[in-house]
Amino acid sequence: EGVIDLRGKTTLRELFYLIANARFTLAIEGLYNHIAGAFEPPSFVVYSGFSYPEMTSYPNTVAIIQDRLPHCSPCFLDGLKDCPVPGKPCMGELTPAFAIDSIRRALAQPAGR
């Protein structure tokens, strides 16, 4: 509700404009995170354990990550393949509610954290 789906409807230039003018960005580690790193609004990035957040964080990156990553992290496995670890522990706590709570807490903090 309240979301405009622009997938496949924008050029790369328009995507940059949208990210630069958004209140914040929410994405997994990847292109959107890297584009958002060039601008000021916070970029909330869901880190599952594929890579270390330190590898892809920018000054405006706010990591959404479990308190403790599993022993198998970072795995650097192709996200399209099934995880060989039963229960995929890197995603255990990363629910939509967890992400929303993380975003609300961060946005409630004064600027400059």
Side-chain angles (χ1 to χ4, degrees):
E1 186 176 319
V3 174
I4 300 169
D5 185 356
L6 296 175
R7 290 176 295 168
K9 300 175 185 173
T10 61
T11 65
L12 192 55
R13 182 182 299 255
E14 291 167 333
L15 176 62
F16 271 75
Y17 177 82
L18 291 169
I19 290 175
N21 290 283
R23 183 168 176 216
F24 64 86
T25 303
L26 170 62
I28 59 172
E29 192 288 309
L31 178 63
Y32 298 134
N33 172 48
H34 297 296
I35 294 172
F39 304 105
E40 283 188 33
S43 174
F44 294 95
V45 181
V46 178
Y47 286 100
S48 65
F50 171 80
S51 66
Y52 291 118
E54 299 82 12
M55 293 174 61
T56 57
S57 290
Y58 297 94
N60 65 328
T61 300
V62 179
I64 297 176
I65 191 167
Q66 299 182 94
D67 289 331
R68 242 180 69 205
L69 289 174
H71 70 283
C72 52
S73 175
C75 66
F76 299 107
L77 291 175
D78 181 344
L80 299 176
K81 294 180 182 175
D82 289 335
C83 173
V85 180
K88 197 169 184 179
C90 62
M91 296 299 290
E93 296 174 18
L94 295 177
T95 64
F98 183 87
I100 290 167
D101 186 54
S102 299
I103 293 168
R104 284 186 176 147
R105 279 191 320 241
L107 291 177
Q109 293 179 4
R113 298 178 244 147

PDB file of all heavy atoms in Angstrom, residues 12 50 52 66 108:
ATOM      1  N   LEU A  12      18.238   4.168 -16.490  1.00  0.00           N
ATOM      2  CA  LEU A  12      19.257   4.225 -15.444  1.00  0.00           C
ATOM      3  C   LEU A  12      19.384   5.651 -14.906  1.00  0.00           C
ATOM      4  O   LEU A  12      19.488   5.869 -13.692  1.00  0.00           O
ATOM      5  CB  LEU A  12      20.601   3.726 -15.985  1.00  0.00           C
ATOM      6  CG  LEU A  12      21.690   3.450 -14.966  1.00  0.00           C
ATOM      7  CD1 LEU A  12      21.219   2.474 -13.897  1.00  0.00           C
ATOM      8  CD2 LEU A  12      22.931   2.902 -15.660  1.00  0.00           C
ATOM      9  N   PHE A  50      25.934 -13.073   2.887  1.00  0.00           N
ATOM     10  CA  PHE A  50      26.615 -13.333   1.617  1.00  0.00           C
ATOM     11  C   PHE A  50      27.999 -12.706   1.617  1.00  0.00           C
ATOM     12  O   PHE A  50      28.981 -13.302   1.174  1.00  0.00           O
ATOM     13  CB  PHE A  50      25.780 -12.780   0.456  1.00  0.00           C
ATOM     14  CG  PHE A  50      26.503 -12.800  -0.865  1.00  0.00           C
ATOM     15  CD1 PHE A  50      26.592 -13.966  -1.592  1.00  0.00           C
ATOM     16  CD2 PHE A  50      27.094 -11.652  -1.367  1.00  0.00           C
ATOM     17  CE1 PHE A  50      27.265 -13.993  -2.816  1.00  0.00           C
ATOM     18  CE2 PHE A  50      27.766 -11.673  -2.581  1.00  0.00           C
ATOM     19  CZ  PHE A  50      27.849 -12.843  -3.304  1.00  0.00           C
ATOM     20  N   TYR A  52      30.633  -9.431   3.716  1.00  0.00           N
ATOM     21  CA  TYR A  52      30.817  -8.578   4.886  1.00  0.00           C
ATOM     22  C   TYR A  52      30.250  -7.196   4.593  1.00  0.00           C
ATOM     23  O   TYR A  52      30.541  -6.627   3.540  1.00  0.00           O
ATOM     24  CB  TYR A  52      32.306  -8.420   5.212  1.00  0.00           C
ATOM     25  CG  TYR A  52      32.973  -9.668   5.713  1.00  0.00           C
ATOM     26  CD1 TYR A  52      34.018 -10.237   5.005  1.00  0.00           C
ATOM     27  CD2 TYR A  52      32.584 -10.252   6.911  1.00  0.00           C
ATOM     28  CE1 TYR A  52      34.664 -11.369   5.474  1.00  0.00           C
ATOM     29  CE2 TYR A  52      33.214 -11.393   7.378  1.00  0.00           C
ATOM     30  CZ  TYR A  52      34.257 -11.943   6.666  1.00  0.00           C
ATOM     31  OH  TYR A  52      34.883 -13.064   7.128  1.00  0.00           O
ATOM     32  N   GLN A  66      21.540  -9.385  11.182  1.00  0.00           N
ATOM     33  CA  GLN A  66      21.337 -10.108  12.430  1.00  0.00           C
ATOM     34  C   GLN A  66      22.422  -9.730  13.428  1.00  0.00           C
ATOM     35  O   GLN A  66      23.522  -9.326  13.039  1.00  0.00           O
ATOM     36  CB  GLN A  66      21.395 -11.619  12.185  1.00  0.00           C
ATOM     37  CG  GLN A  66      20.337 -12.131  11.247  1.00  0.00           C
ATOM     38  CD  GLN A  66      20.413 -13.626  11.080  1.00  0.00           C
ATOM     39  OE1 GLN A  66      19.728 -14.335  11.779  1.00  0.00           O
ATOM     40  NE2 GLN A  66      21.242 -14.106  10.163  1.00  0.00           N
ATOM     41  N   ALA A 108      14.342   7.585  13.394  1.00  0.00           N
ATOM     42  CA  ALA A 108      13.959   8.338  14.588  1.00  0.00           C
ATOM     43  C   ALA A 108      15.160   9.014  15.249  1.00  0.00           C
ATOM     44  O   ALA A 108      14.991   9.930  16.060  1.00  0.00           O
ATOM     45  CB  ALA A 108      13.262   7.421  15.587  1.00  0.00           C
TER      46      ALA A 108
END
